[in-house]
Amino acid sequence: MDVDDLIRLALAAVGAVVFVLGAATYVLVDPFADMLPSTFAVAALAGLVAFLLGLWAVRTAYKGGVDQTAVPDVELPRSFPAPGSDLDLTLYRLTHLRQGTSEYRDQIQSRLAEAAVAAIRQRENCTRAQAVHQLEEGEWTDNYQAASFFAGGSPPSQSRLDRWLGDDETPYEQWVDTTVDAIAEYAGIEAATEPEPTTADDDGGLLSGLRGGDGDDGPRAQAGYRDQYVDENAERITDSIVYNELIETGQWRGVTAFALVAVGWGVITATPAIVLVAVLGVAFSAYARAAVPPKLAALDVERAFDESDVIPGDVVEVTVTVENTGGSFVPDLRLVDRVPGNMRVVSGTPRLATALGSGDTATFTYEVVAERGTHEWPLLAIGRDFSGALEREAVVDVEGELRCIPSLRTTAEMPVRQQTSLYSGQENTSTGGSGLEFFAVREYRESDPMNRIDWKRQARTGELATIDFRLERAASLVFLFDARDASYVAPEPGEHHAVDRSVEAAVEAFGALSDQGNMVGLAAFDTVPCWLAPSAGDAHLERARRMFAGHPAMSSTPPEESETEGHYVDPMTHVRSQLSPESQLVLFSPLTDDYTVEVARRLDSSGHRVTVISPNPTANRTVGQRLARIERTMRIATLRERDIRVVDWDYDSMLGLALDEARQRWTV
């Protein structure tokens, strides 16, 4: 119980005592009346208590405002943080909140040191020990401040002019900023845009993570209120309706405060007119106290789509109809359709404010851009009584689903490496045999077919020779998706996260590879096992389409938020154990940490040729995001040094262009 509650209870107790004394004064008669306080003293004391309670009510009304249900923003798709936002969060907590001083400082220095060592090794082609020595000695850069960051220096002092101009960036933040820029310059990474302050709230979730408290700061924790449907203390009323906790809005607090102050002052000053005026406020306050919670259990909701089976990118019209089938009138009703977080409203509004009498119906329509997956979502209904003192929130489950299954397009030709199966296809090998493309001429053997004898050479020289053509075999590939928490990142608020971009790329390439006669499978590593063995045929293509649309490991909504339980799936055991010896891998990952680099290296060294398709989710607005861009660039360089092909795919470019640029680099 806080101080406000204690004071309010104490004043209420004093008021009760005064009421008892006042009642006793008027009821009891001699000889006991002489033992009680005078009528004026009791009235004055009662007025004083009412006046103090009124002042306290004024303070409460001023501080508390009006309580109401937090209505989610359903018109725009949800936002995911950009890589590096975790460092921005750590830096903000260290410099502005004064938390974890030594621990956070060590974390920041260690992370910048790893990026600097990687850049030195890449540029100087030296060992790690040599790179660490250069870093400690400050030999890697001419920037004194950046060199001193790793050599036990201290941050530069803030000038009086900066303080006078109100520069919010602390000296330590400036020091980190300068060091990151020096590492980027050393690594040859140019800034795409001018950096912005780390405290801006458009960095993909930095400050939203701070508002979330001390819990998980990952992208799933920062998803926001939009994807939370019911409270912990919610009560299920019917099969389709759940009541969240009842809210007392407190919008009559001001009237109550006025009534108490007026009554108290009128009694103390013995001014009947003021007491009479206060009666009106008392009446309104009593009316609010007698409020009856609105009844929303009789709401019947239907949702209709103009098309229920669509492909990603289609515009779908949604019509919601709400009927009050009960016998009570709902004077204030707000309806919010909880559009799935990966969809964008492009026309109309998924909201409606109305009043519904018994048997009345309300309808609203809006249009959304469909995204892959099978979508079902509830309706939020918020009702108030006539006085507005009580507010009830109901979550209504609505029947009907929107199925959005991607079509396997053939717009991007995925490069296939020379590791093929025994099945015929369109991939050229380094082996001669029957085929279409000339390979070589060799001596005739008795088992050679007649149609492969070089008759022109026989007529010219009299010797029999056989023409060999380049064998064409089918490749066996597995598309492997990095669907961990670290992959749910995006460069801009509202952009598709990297898992979505990876699936988009796979959808483009899957159909093209299948049309060429290759066998393609699917796998992912996350908390949910995902495996589709390489195969071909129409049935296999349909299974792949369904997995692209609805498998939890490749979902637009992270598996934990889809109420999917499980343990982390290690690709070294789950995937490698099921791969055939001739299978190669196409790994889709944003490369936001070193784990995926290790996965690619180990799978490639085990005999499965690996090609990495990496959508680039990095941004350049904050110091943490710029550091994440440096780290990702170093990871790509590490993979290429190990002869692992990497397609660095920018968010604002087409996959086909990125593949063409990669092919040119691979053929040089």
Side-chain angles (χ1 to χ4, degrees):
M1 183 178 295
D2 58 17
V3 177
D4 289 352
D5 292 336
L6 288 174
I7 295 176
R8 187 170 61 253
L9 288 176
L11 290 174
V14 173
V17 172
V18 171
F19 175 80
V20 172
L21 288 175
T25 301
Y26 286 102
V27 173
L28 296 178
V29 294
D30 291 333
F32 301 102
D34 295 337
M35 302 172 57
L36 296 173
S38 66
T39 303
F40 177 78
V42 173
L45 184 59
L48 179 61
V49 172
F51 186 76
L52 293 176
L53 283 173
L55 293 180
W56 197 259
V58 170
R59 176 180 177 273
T60 303
Y62 177 76
K63 290 180 58 179
V66 177
D67 298 327
Q68 58 185 356
T69 302
V71 180
D73 296 328
V74 296
E75 285 80 5
L76 298 176
R78 61 188 294 179
S79 295
F80 289 85
S85 294
D86 55 338
L87 180 71
D88 292 325
L89 184 61
T90 301
L91 186 60
Y92 185 88
R93 285 175 169 171
L94 172 66
T95 57
H96 293 269
L97 303 183
R98 307 297 182 185
Q99 297 177 353
T101 305
S102 59
E103 177 187 357
Y104 287 162
R105 192 181 294 268
D106 290 343
Q107 290 178 8
I108 294 170
Q109 185 170 21
S110 175
R111 186 162 172 181
L112 266 65
E114 287 296 325
V117 167
I120 294 171
R121 293 186 64 187
Q122 173 66 24
R123 178 170 173 175
E124 303 296 336
N125 193 22
C126 61
T127 64
R128 178 178 176 82
Q130 292 171 333
V132 171
H133 176 75
Q134 290 190 37
L135 189 67
E136 293 176 347
E137 297 298 324
E139 301 172 355
W140 62 283
T141 179
D142 295 332
N143 189 314
Y144 172 77
Q145 291 184 7
S148 66
F149 189 86
F150 306 106
S154 58
S157 59
Q158 192 176 29
S159 67
R160 293 182 180 180
L161 179 60
D162 288 339
R163 289 196 297 268
W164 183 78
L165 292 175
D167 188 356
D168 293 333
E169 194 172 24
T170 65
Y172 185 77
E173 286 178 298
Q174 295 174 359
W175 199 19
V176 173
D177 204 329
T178 300
T179 304
V180 169
D181 288 343
I183 298 173
E185 182 181 0
Y186 184 85
I189 302 173
E190 297 181 358
T193 58
E194 288 297 324
E196 298 175 4
T198 57
T199 54
D201 199 22
D202 59 351
D203 59 357
L206 171 58
L207 295 188
S208 62
L210 289 173
R211 299 188 189 105
D214 296 329
D216 182 14
D217 296 318
R220 296 177 183 178
Q222 296 179 6
Y225 178 82
R226 177 174 176 177
D227 294 303
Q228 300 172 4
Y229 292 153
V230 296
D231 298 335
E232 293 181 358
N233 300 323
E235 178 186 3
R236 180 162 291 280
I237 304 302
T238 67
D239 292 339
S240 60
I241 297 180
V242 174
Y243 276 174
N244 283 331
E245 190 173 355
L246 189 67
I247 296 177
E248 294 184 9
T249 63
Q251 69 177 17
W252 292 93
R253 290 193 188 109
V255 175
T256 303
F258 163 76
L260 289 172
V261 169
V263 167
W265 185 252
V267 171
I268 293 173
T269 61
T271 309
I274 297 179
V275 177
L276 185 62
V277 171
V279 171
L280 185 60
V282 172
F284 278 114
S285 181
Y287 171 69
R289 291 289 180 181
V292 178
K295 297 180 181 180
L296 305 178
L299 295 180
D300 184 19
V301 182
E302 294 183 359
R303 184 186 294 117
F305 309 102
D306 60 346
E307 291 184 58
S308 58
D309 291 290
V310 294
I311 62 175
D314 285 353
V315 176
V316 180
E317 184 180 82
V318 184
T319 302
V320 180
T321 303
V322 180
E323 181 181 2
N324 183 7
T325 60
S328 60
F329 177 64
V330 183
D332 185 352
L333 180 64
R334 285 170 289 161
L335 305 171
V336 181
D337 212 15
R338 285 184 176 270
V339 182
N342 60 339
M343 292 189 185
R344 182 189 302 271
V345 178
V346 295
S347 178
T349 176
R351 307 168 185 262
L352 179 66
T354 185
L356 279 185
S358 178
D360 290 347
T361 300
T363 302
F364 58 95
T365 302
Y366 61 95
E367 292 182 339
V368 297
V369 177
E371 298 291 348
R372 61 185 181 87
T374 300
H375 306 286
E376 294 179 285
W377 62 93
L379 175 82
L380 173 64
I382 304 171
R384 287 186 177 185
D385 66 309
F386 278 101
S387 68
L390 297 177
E391 182 173 279
R392 166 155 284 162
E393 177 187 7
V395 179
V396 185
D397 296 328
V398 185
E399 294 184 356
E401 62 182 18
L402 177 65
R403 293 180 298 274
C404 184
I405 302 176
S407 60
L408 300 181
R409 304 184 298 272
T410 59
T411 56
E413 296 184 3
M414 182 70 65
V416 178
R417 309 181 76 170
Q418 289 190 3
Q419 182 179 13
T420 55
S421 69
L422 299 178
Y423 300 97
S424 61
Q426 296 184 15
E427 293 305 318
N428 294 328
T429 70
S430 58
T431 305
S434 58
L436 297 177
E437 181 183 351
F438 174 79
F439 181 72
V441 177
R442 59 173 174 79
E443 293 183 357
Y444 173 76
R445 300 169 188 163
E446 292 184 0
S447 59
D448 290 342
M450 297 288 291
N451 61 355
R452 288 174 52 195
I453 296 176
D454 188 351
W455 295 107
K456 292 182 179 180
R457 180 172 180 175
Q458 193 275 338
R460 186 173 63 254
T461 63
E463 298 177 357
L464 290 176
T466 301
I467 300 174
D468 272 346
F469 298 90
R470 190 180 299 276
L471 282 175
E472 294 179 344
R473 298 296 188 192
S476 175
L477 301 97
V478 173
F479 286 180
L480 178 60
F481 296 91
D482 177 7
R484 299 168 300 130
D485 248 359
S487 296
Y488 283 87
V489 288
E492 297 282 348
E495 284 270 15
H496 287 178
H497 53 70
V499 175
D500 267 344
R501 293 288 280 173
S502 296
V503 174
E504 290 174 12
V507 167
E508 289 189 36
F510 198 99
L513 290 171
S514 297
D515 290 346
Q516 295 169 6
N518 300 300
M519 297 185 297
V520 190
L522 300 175
F525 53 101
D526 185 40
T527 56
V528 184
C530 175
W531 173 257
L532 177 65
S535 185
D538 293 339
H540 180 73
L541 291 177
E542 185 60 25
R543 283 193 294 270
R545 289 181 64 232
R546 298 289 177 180
M547 290 185 69
F548 281 135
H551 197 283
M554 293 180 284
S555 173
S556 291
T557 302
E560 287 184 1
E561 296 177 7
S562 301
E563 300 181 357
T564 303
E565 298 180 357
H567 302 287
Y568 180 69
V569 178
D570 184 2
M572 296 298 104
T573 56
H574 172 66
V575 177
R576 189 171 63 176
S577 62
Q578 302 184 80
L579 287 172
S580 58
E582 70 277 1
S583 292
Q584 57 181 284
L585 288 162
V586 180
L587 174 58
F588 294 89
S589 172
L591 298 176
T592 54
D593 58 18
D594 294 331
Y595 179 75
T596 313
V597 176
E598 180 65 14
V599 168
R601 185 191 65 79
R602 291 176 61 185
L603 289 173
D604 192 75
S605 62
S606 65
H608 303 285
R609 305 301 296 272
V610 176
T611 299
V612 179
I613 308 295
S614 181
N616 182 7
T618 59
N620 202 46
R621 298 183 300 278
T622 69
V623 61
Q625 293 168 5
R626 298 200 303 278
L627 180 63
R629 174 172 291 183
I630 297 171
E631 293 170 335
R632 180 178 176 276
T633 302
M634 294 299 102
R635 295 186 189 106
I636 292 175
T638 299
L639 290 172
R640 288 173 175 168
E641 285 177 353
R642 297 180 178 274
D643 197 28
I644 297 176
R645 292 178 172 180
V646 181
V647 179
D648 188 5
W649 178 26
D650 288 334
Y651 255 59
D652 56 355
S653 68
M654 298 178 61
L655 177 62
L657 296 177
L659 291 174
D660 290 341
E661 293 176 359
R663 285 194 191 94
Q664 294 176 6
R665 183 174 58 253
W666 296 335
T667 56
V668 173

